[in-house]
Amino acid sequence: MELPFAESYRIKMVEPIYRSTREQREEWIKQAHYNLFNLKSEQVFIDLLTDSGTGAMSHNQWAAMMTGDESYAGSSSYYHLKNAIRDILGFEYFLPTHQGRAAENVLFSVLVKAGDVVPGNSHFDTTKGHIEFRKASAIDCTIDEAFDTESLHPFKGNVDLRKLESVYSSYHQEEIPMVIVTLTCNTSGGQPVSMQNLKDVYELSKRYGIKVVFDSARFAENAWFIKEREPGYGDKSIREIVAEMFSYADAMTMSSKKDGIVNIGGFIAMKDEKLFQNASVFNIMYEGFNTYGGMAGRDMNALSVGLNEVTDDHYLENRVKQVEYLGNRLIGWGIPVQKPIGGHAVFVDARKFLKHVPKEEYVAQTLAIELYLEAGVRGVEVGTLLADRDPKTGENRYPKLEMLRLAIPRRAYTNNHMDVVAVALKNIFDRREKITHGFKIEKEAPIMRHFTVELERIV
């Protein structure tokens, strides 16, 4: 008999979590103005709001934190991280930042100006926010298959080369500071980009003189899918695949809170010394001196270990299999999700799930709140609230996908927790016909509103 799959780690420390009553949750979510970001952590039983900074660090990472060098300049921890980035990712120059959006802020301060266009594959919220804050435009060039949740295309994060070349040929070179390729593509469901597509994007961009920048928060998960799904890569190591991936990029931003497996931190890495020097001006102004940026020495040490751990095949197998486990349980009950299952989260198709809730009443947010009320599980809306309003018309933007994202923290929950999530969604699915109304906005910020929006239930 074949042995069953088991995680290649054991648990050394646990944190108690509180199982609340439905009555408590109804009061708490009302007090939070129906915004799941406003809940206190102790009011949540299983927290799938994000996989960013919520994973469990290894004993080697904790040990490395104890030897962090907190020198203001020239910290040895900086050089540990510099060496890891050079050896694993292939970039000679890097700047530490406190998280991914800070890396975007610094890099875009150098590259993006008013009137520019920045093509890419479904820019995520902070990326689009930083572009639009600078009065530039993000243009989505993702392949059409990404928006068909039933399609089994293995690389739904791919950039459509025809769409991309249309952008390149429609604007002057100086109006296109870069193309951003997100690995994996979060907005389309944690979907990977193929190696061939990365190569093709790079070659096309070089013909037009455009920089290629990777949003690399989940680069290792992307490498895993290349190994599993793309011909010619099954026998290659994750390290070899990662090295080839980044050979097709001029620069990268990183939220290290994802595939760095740390609680805080990020960085920008680049191959061009001039870009490094220009970015250094803004990094010093916004983040800190170049050898610490927005990070403590101990966190740089933990990240240097995390980059090594995340590129291990066994770690990635554990990671992806748990996400698949939850996704497959939902598929077995007919619950509509983005297929194939992504690397960091299961994305539930809220429009297909709650067919009677009007799109103007924030369908994915409605489903997210129902899940919290059912079992104390916190997910996040990736839909109309996150899409913000059109900066020119002020009207809601209705994205092609209206999703409830269930982002699974790394090494933090067991499959028993996944079973709770699955059964809770099944219970809601069984009574979905009775859910006919959602929410309206009472108060919102002018940009990235989903973090602080206040809602009122429509009855």
Side-chain angles (χ1 to χ4, degrees), residues 50-58 61-62 257-258 261-263 315 319 408-413:
T50 180
D51 62 320
S52 180
T54 56
M57 291 200 301
S58 70
Q61 287 180 289
W62 283 109
K257 298 164 70 177
K258 284 85 168 177
I261 331 181
V262 291
N263 303 129
Y315 159 80
R319 168 65 173 158
I408 301 175
R410 294 160 179 81
R411 305 186 290 207
Y413 290 113

Side-chain angles (χ1 to χ4, degrees), residues 69-79 288-293 300:
D69 179 358
E70 307 303 338
S71 300
Y72 187 94
S75 161
S76 62
S77 298
Y78 165 84
Y79 290 101
F289 185 63
N290 284 344
T291 58
Y292 76 90
M300 286 191 282

Side-chain angles (χ1 to χ4, degrees), residues 330-439:
L330 299 180
I331 290 170
W333 282 321
I335 295 173
V337 301
Q338 174 68 292
K339 300 172 186 173
I341 305 301
H344 72 289
V346 177
F347 285 68
V348 181
D349 189 329
R351 283 201 193 102
K352 291 180 180 178
F353 194 114
L354 297 180
K355 295 180 179 180
H356 301 305
V357 177
K359 69 176 184 178
E360 296 82 6
E361 297 179 12
Y362 308 106
V363 185
Q365 183 72 6
T366 301
L367 182 55
I369 291 168
E370 287 291 333
L371 179 59
Y372 175 70
L373 291 173
E374 180 71 25
V377 177
R378 176 162 64 172
V380 71
E381 184 255 24
V382 178
T384 304
L385 283 179
L386 182 141
D388 265 329
R389 295 184 183 273
D390 186 291
K392 295 179 181 178
T393 67
E395 297 297 320
N396 272 332
R397 290 186 285 205
Y398 296 101
K400 294 178 181 178
L401 294 175
E402 184 81 18
M403 312 290 266
L404 166 62
R405 187 187 74 175
L406 305 171
I408 301 175
R410 294 160 179 81
R411 305 186 290 207
Y413 290 113
T414 69
N415 281 356
N416 285 341
H417 293 103
M418 299 303 102
D419 289 337
V420 171
V421 178
V423 171
L425 276 167
K426 172 65 163 57
N427 291 344
I428 301 167
F429 195 61
D430 288 344
R431 57 177 172 83
R432 64 192 182 279
E433 300 295 331
K434 299 178 181 178
I435 303 172
T436 57
H437 286 292
F439 295 84

Side-chain angles (χ1 to χ4, degrees), residues 143 153-155 157-161 164 181 183 192-205 207 212 214 222-223 225-227 229-233 236 241 244-248:
I143 61 172
H153 191 292
F155 293 101
N158 279 1
V159 175
D160 186 312
L161 297 173
L164 183 61
V181 185
L183 310 171
V193 182
S194 73
M195 189 73 80
Q196 186 62 53
N197 191 247
L198 295 175
K199 183 178 181 180
D200 291 343
V201 168
Y202 186 74
E203 291 177 349
L204 176 64
S205 301
R207 291 208 304 270
V212 178
F214 288 175
N222 198 94
F225 286 123
I226 289 174
K227 181 179 177 70
R229 298 178 183 175
E230 191 161 0
Y233 289 91
K236 291 185 179 293
I241 294 170
E244 184 179 347
M245 283 167 49
F246 284 104
S247 73
Y248 304 128

